[in-house]
Amino acid sequence: MIRYLGSTKNLAGCVGGLIGLALYLTGVVGGLWPLVVAGLYAVFALLAPPERVRLVSVDAVAEAGQLRADLDSLVSKVTARAQRMPESSVDGVRRIAEVLDDLLSRPERWAANPDVQHAVTRLARTDLPLSVETYLNLPWWFAAKRRASGEPSASDELLTQLELLENEAHRIAERFYAGDVHQQADHTRYLRERGESA
């Protein structure tokens, strides 16, 4: 009910009602003025365009800022547990976070591309934390031990996951910057052509 009070339909209906009231005050309508006011309200409210549906978060800056804060927090927690992590895994987490942080530093552009937005959000909020948390929740002696059967250890699995996630982050960045790359190539071509015609 409260949302309706500020809606386009209610505002248009109020304009119609005010027109009906103005008609009464000018003497155009007589004793039936309440019906005229209500009728004009209803007509204007029905003719008003519906509210726009927003399925995506309106405040991209706040959402991107929260994702950046989540990534910073994850990197801090991983760095604090560096002695428990396999060698080079902390650097891998940092590299992934840096790529994603760069994309999130342009929130309007990030939010304008739903595919990139979904991929970055999934990587930052689900995939990367899940890989690290799963490893850290294992006992340290189990995580570091190699299995006799030749299967990879938990440390090997984490390093593989981080490599896959870093590759995915770079693929997302390539999609994100594709327009800039094309623009740069077009500008180079333009400058060459201009130089040849001079």
Side-chain angles (χ1 to χ4, degrees):
M1 178 63 182
I2 293 175
R3 288 182 65 188
Y4 179 76
L5 293 176
S7 71
T8 307
K9 291 195 171 287
N10 183 47
L11 295 175
C14 288
V15 169
L18 286 173
I19 292 172
L21 192 58
L23 291 173
Y24 168 71
L25 293 175
T26 58
V28 175
V29 292
L32 297 177
W33 70 269
L35 292 175
V36 172
V37 169
L40 285 174
Y41 175 91
V43 168
F44 274 63
L46 289 172
L47 292 177
E51 294 295 315
R52 293 184 65 188
V53 176
R54 295 191 183 270
L55 300 177
V56 181
S57 172
V58 176
D59 194 1
V61 175
E63 189 175 347
Q66 184 58 53
L67 276 172
R68 292 176 85 185
D70 292 347
L71 282 170
D72 288 344
S73 174
L74 177 66
V75 170
S76 297
K77 289 175 184 174
V78 167
T79 303
R81 293 170 178 82
Q83 75 282 358
R84 173 92 161 68
M85 301 284 289
E87 192 176 336
S88 81
S89 63
V90 175
D91 290 334
V93 170
R94 279 194 192 112
R95 286 192 304 270
I96 295 165
E98 284 172 8
V99 172
L100 298 179
D101 186 68
D102 189 53
L103 303 179
L104 293 166
S105 68
R106 297 164 175 87
E108 291 84 7
R109 189 164 165 202
W110 165 75
N113 188 331
D115 290 337
V116 169
Q117 184 180 18
H118 173 71
V120 169
T121 304
R122 183 187 61 214
L123 202 57
R125 286 233 169 99
T126 305
D127 296 336
L128 185 57
L130 182 63
S131 293
V132 174
E133 286 173 9
T134 302
Y135 177 82
L136 288 174
N137 284 332
L138 293 171
W140 69 267
W141 55 267
F142 183 82
K145 144 181 151 172
R146 290 197 179 272
R147 298 215 171 120
S149 64
E151 292 179 16
S153 67
S155 298
D156 295 333
E157 292 284 4
L158 176 62
L159 292 172
T160 300
Q161 289 173 12
L162 292 176
E163 183 181 351
L164 292 169
L165 292 174
E166 186 173 357
N167 290 338
E168 183 178 352
H170 284 288
R171 283 194 302 274
I172 294 166
E174 286 172 14
R175 287 198 327 250
F176 186 78
Y177 293 116
D180 293 332
V181 171
H182 290 306
Q183 183 178 359
Q184 187 179 31
D186 289 344
H187 190 60
T188 302
R189 191 167 34 257
Y190 162 74
L191 293 174
R192 280 196 182 121
E193 291 170 359
R194 190 174 74 181
E196 290 169 0
S197 64

